[in-house]
Amino acid sequence: MTEIKRRKSRNIFMGILTLLLFSFVLFAVLDRSQEESRPPTIHVLMNDAVRKEAAIGTYEWTSGDRSVVADADHPAMFTYEEKNTLEASKGQKVYMSISDEQGYLPIDVVHFEVYAKGSTEKIKDASYSINGDTLVLHVEEDSGDYVYCLLMDYGQRGHADYGINIIVDQQSFSVEELKELETPYVGNHGKVGEILSKLPSPGSGYVQRYLALKTGTEPYGIVAYYEPVEEMAGTIVFPSENPVNNIYENMEKNAAALFCLIDNAGMVTFKVRQTPSTGELKDREYESAVTFTREKLTLKYGELEDILDHEDIFSEKP
């Protein structure tokens, strides 16, 4: 009797195992079939550590004897997820490559266009080049929230629309939080450091690590040291005053905010390096520096005490 029960249990176990294996194989076949019945994924990256993918829109696709037609809204009108959204600076490059899941497919770009996110009015053709099997986007846009729309022709297999959301050098300020940090003195190291930590980054890949205060003689000043996050080493864009670039303009806004919040600050300097620091401030390793004075920015904007209330300059975080 016991032996019969054992055999019965073993048979049930083998039946369940067989069913699970069959389900797994069936799922794999169906999943593979689904992959082949739609265009390939386009991987979007700044480097090996920053990887995204383009969202797929309207397409026509043929796989074997099966043809699929899918209709979608204009890519500029998509709701983009985090995996389809990238932050970049004007002057940086974004690399796009086709997934090899379906074998080799040629890169044939029908059009590559730039739109403001949420608008179907074309701004311009995107600037790009093709290097082997990689499409290289050259980011040339001023500060803003953009959708780059790409139509790819895959020959007899079909064609597909793609969209990637790229936020270019766009800052947003926590104005009310910043106002709570006002201080009369540059020498208040804790408050000044907290203000700097709450100011938005001036560009893609920037992080502020160190701070120096000049309190001996007037004009009293602040030196903030920026470097790239590790995965963006060697790729951040330096500020340029002539001609003025997005990074310089964003640093100017950060300087104006510092003058607004620190009563006796007369000078702000931002220094930048292309490689991450090693845990110790070495001033000579910072290759770029820009300085702003209270006097110069007052001539440009007027009195700075209430400049954070200027919504046209300091857009708030949603």
Side-chain angles (χ1 to χ4, degrees), residues 10 14 25 56 96 121 139 142 160 174 181 183 190 197 201 234 308:
R10 194 159 48 240
M14 292 302 294
V25 171
I56 299 180
M96 302 183 181
E121 184 176 346
V139 180
D142 289 325
S174 301
L181 299 173
T183 177
S197 72
S201 162
L308 281 173

Side-chain angles (χ1 to χ4, degrees), residues 55-72:
I56 299 180
T58 298
Y59 64 84
E60 292 185 14
W61 195 250
T62 299
S63 178
D65 58 355
R66 183 180 180 188
S67 294
V68 177
V69 177
D71 195 20

Side-chain angles (χ1 to χ4, degrees), residues 42-47 54 84-97 107 109 111-115 124-131 133-141 146-150 162-168 235 237:
I42 290 186
H43 300 291
V44 181
L45 57 152
M46 299 283 285
N47 50 51
N84 312 124
T85 302
L86 185 71
E87 292 187 1
S89 286
K90 182 177 181 178
Q92 287 182 325
K93 295 178 181 179
V94 176
Y95 302 89
M96 302 183 181
S97 61
I107 294 180
V109 178
H111 65 237
F112 200 179
E113 300 170 337
V114 185
Y115 295 80
K124 56 174 285 192
D125 289 325
S127 175
Y128 71 94
S129 57
I130 296 175
N131 184 6
D133 59 358
T134 302
L135 182 66
V136 184
L137 170 66
H138 306 268
V139 180
E140 295 183 344
E141 284 58 58
Y146 300 97
V147 173
Y148 293 77
C149 301
L150 176 65
Y162 297 87
I164 180 72
N165 181 203
I166 301 183
I167 301 169
V168 180
T235 66
V237 176

